[in-house]
Amino acid sequence: MDDVLFLPQRCPYPPNKGDKIATWNILKHLAKRYRVHLGTYVDDPDDWQHADVLRQTCASVKLIDLDPRTAKIKSLSGFLTGEALSVAYYRQPAMQAWVDEKLASGVKRIFVFSSAMARYVTRAPGCVRIMDFCDLDSDKWRQYAAASAWPMSWVYAREADKLLAWERRIAADFDHSLFISEAETRDFKALAPESAHKVSVLTNGVDAEYFSPEREYPRLDQAAAQLVFTGAMDYKPNIDAVVWFAREVLPLLRQTHPQTGFTVVGSKPSAEVQDLAREPGIHVTGRVEDVRPYLAHAAGVVAPLRIARGIQNKVLEGMAMGKTVICSPQALEGIAAQPGQNLLLADTPAAFADACRQVLDGQTNLGEAARRCVLDTYAWDACLARLDTLLEPAA
């Protein structure tokens, strides 16, 4: 077996949030064909207990502890160096030394997940380098800027400009660049026309066997008419989504369905999200070992994101569980599902409330069609098959 250097920004295991779900499945796929040398950061202390899983999967592993608070302070150096703050956030000499050691040992294939990790392989002569941007992160920061007041609007706008310049530099330098959807790919080609000929799609998948409605799941101590949202609850777009739904949609829905509950499932809920739990019928779980029981016993799954890029795993997982998903246009972007056939689409509080009523009343049930869509389109092996040719020198 040949060697490959895999550099994701966050420890891939356990696969309990969007980017970790993707990188864990990528890691498993690479390990079928290569000896994988994994270099990554551990930003959640709970993840250290799973280090042996990674060591059993990989030929070698370099895990570096990353305290988010300290890293945020260090990232401010980007104001002095002219870097994007999110790139400065991941600057670690120990990681550079380990990467240099692996390259000196003869590793000739490199797969990078997240633009900040590309800094470690800007000099790698003779190597095939594949960059998986996943999302167009610079545009996400531009959305933050548009939705924020000064001075954060200025900080976010600066980050968008600096990160786009970094993304363009990487795309020009690497052998190939990947984005998670056709929309992301199209947008980046327009922003970086000099690299358009070597940019393409590597979409996310979902483990439909794991997220299966055919299994038995423990019943939760909740009211029957629950709408469920899943996601990391320290992530700004998720926070915005659940607060907006609780404040703008739920009151409209409860005019006709007063017993409707709303459950927010995800780790590290922010103070703003925790405050929602003080309101009747809103339940905030925090970290859970398994999101599937919450999805299995939900009346419907909501994804009311207003800031989003790429493909939303929460939508695919809800569909895989055979649930009717009600989502915003932003949450649907990049997903090959038809509104009204595989899920419901809503873009205003009134439209969201109406769609939820259809689900709660049993007028609309798209769960079977949703799961069929996932099975047909989002199997991980099929999604990742392109890696097998991209990483070969002849490609």
Side-chain angles (χ1 to χ4, degrees):
M1 296 177 77
D2 294 318
D3 297 276
V4 63
L5 179 63
F6 182 34
L7 299 175
Q9 67 178 10
R10 184 178 287 115
C11 177
Y13 198 88
N16 54 8
K17 61 193 308 181
D19 63 315
K20 297 175 71 171
I21 293 169
T23 54
W24 173 241
N25 281 280
I26 290 169
L27 174 56
K28 289 193 297 179
H29 186 86
L30 292 174
K32 295 175 183 177
R33 185 164 181 171
Y34 301 102
R35 290 187 298 269
V36 180
H37 303 275
L38 171 69
T40 190
Y41 293 105
V42 180
D43 60 5
D44 185 338
D46 287 340
D47 289 353
W48 280 107
Q49 64 183 303
H50 303 291
D52 284 346
V53 175
L54 298 173
R55 295 189 180 102
Q56 291 165 11
T57 307
C58 301
S60 68
V61 176
K62 180 66 171 180
L63 301 177
I64 295 181
D65 188 62
L66 187 72
D67 177 46
R69 291 170 296 183
T70 303
K72 284 179 182 178
I73 295 171
K74 289 176 63 176
S75 74
L76 297 177
S77 65
F79 284 121
L80 300 177
T81 62
E83 290 178 288
L85 304 187
S86 51
V87 175
Y89 184 97
Y90 289 97
R91 186 192 300 117
Q92 289 279 356
M95 182 63 77
Q96 186 68 68
W98 182 83
V99 169
D100 291 345
E101 176 186 323
K102 292 301 172 185
L103 295 180
S105 73
V107 174
K108 294 300 182 183
R109 295 169 178 81
I110 302 170
F111 189 88
V112 180
F113 187 96
S114 178
S115 62
M117 298 299 286
R119 66 177 307 122
Y120 299 114
V121 289
T122 53
R123 297 182 303 277
C127 292
V128 176
R129 290 176 297 170
I130 307 300
M131 178 71 238
D132 189 347
F133 287 103
C134 189
D135 302 331
L136 182 51
D137 282 339
S138 56
D139 186 74
K140 178 186 68 180
W141 290 107
R142 203 168 299 285
Q143 292 182 55
Y144 286 0
S148 303
W150 193 90
M152 293 311 298
S153 59
W154 176 83
V155 174
Y156 292 151
R158 177 194 181 276
E159 185 70 4
D161 291 340
K162 295 294 185 181
L163 193 55
L164 177 59
W166 177 242
E167 290 165 342
R168 292 182 66 176
R169 175 186 165 185
I170 296 168
D173 197 30
F174 275 47
D175 293 275
H176 204 84
S177 296
L178 300 164
F179 286 89
I180 200 169
S181 70
E182 292 287 355
E184 304 275 321
T185 304
R186 181 187 63 246
D187 290 349
F188 186 72
K189 285 181 176 180
L191 293 167
E194 69 280 1
S195 300
H197 63 289
K198 51 179 180 174
V199 178
S200 61
V201 177
L202 185 72
T203 190
N204 253 14
V206 64
D207 187 340
E209 181 179 351
Y210 181 79
F211 288 97
S212 171
E214 302 302 322
R215 300 174 185 269
E216 292 292 331
Y217 300 101
R219 186 162 290 279
L220 305 167
D221 184 21
Q222 296 174 337
Q226 288 289 328
L227 299 171
V228 170
F229 177 97
T230 61
M233 294 319 304
D234 58 348
Y235 182 49
K236 186 180 177 68
N238 287 345
I239 296 168
D240 175 80
V242 300
V243 171
W244 179 80
F245 187 84
R247 300 279 189 253
E248 303 294 332
V249 179
L250 205 53
L252 295 178
L253 181 56
R254 285 177 171 168
Q255 291 176 8
T256 56
H257 295 69
Q259 301 305 313
T260 301
F262 179 40
T263 300
V264 179
V265 183
S267 62
K268 300 180 180 178
S270 68
E272 196 172 7
V273 175
Q274 292 180 49
D275 286 344
L276 296 178
R278 298 190 176 97
E279 302 180 16
I282 299 181
H283 181 49
V284 177
T285 69
R287 182 193 296 272
V288 299
E289 289 300 318
D290 191 348
V291 301
R292 292 175 300 170
Y294 295 89
L295 295 171
H297 299 297
V301 175
V302 295
L305 285 95
R306 302 190 297 170
I307 301 170
R309 292 295 318 191
I311 290 179
Q312 298 298 318
N313 287 299
K314 57 177 63 65
V315 174
L316 294 182
E317 291 168 0
M319 293 173 65
M321 288 294 292
K323 293 297 173 179
T324 301
V325 178
I326 307 107
C327 69
S328 64
Q330 293 91 329
L332 178 60
E333 184 175 308
I335 295 179
Q338 293 300 315
Q341 297 180 26
N342 309 120
L343 45 65
L344 294 177
L345 186 66
D347 60 356
T348 66
F352 253 99
D354 286 342
C356 290
R357 287 189 189 99
Q358 293 179 38
V359 174
L360 294 173
D361 290 340
Q363 297 175 6
T364 301
N365 186 344
L366 302 177
E368 184 177 339
R371 180 165 173 81
R372 189 164 56 249
C373 175
V374 166
L375 293 173
D376 291 345
T377 312
Y378 291 103
W380 271 112
D381 284 345
C383 293
L384 296 177
R386 295 194 62 243
L387 296 185
D388 299 335
T389 54
L390 286 176
L391 280 166
E392 293 308 308

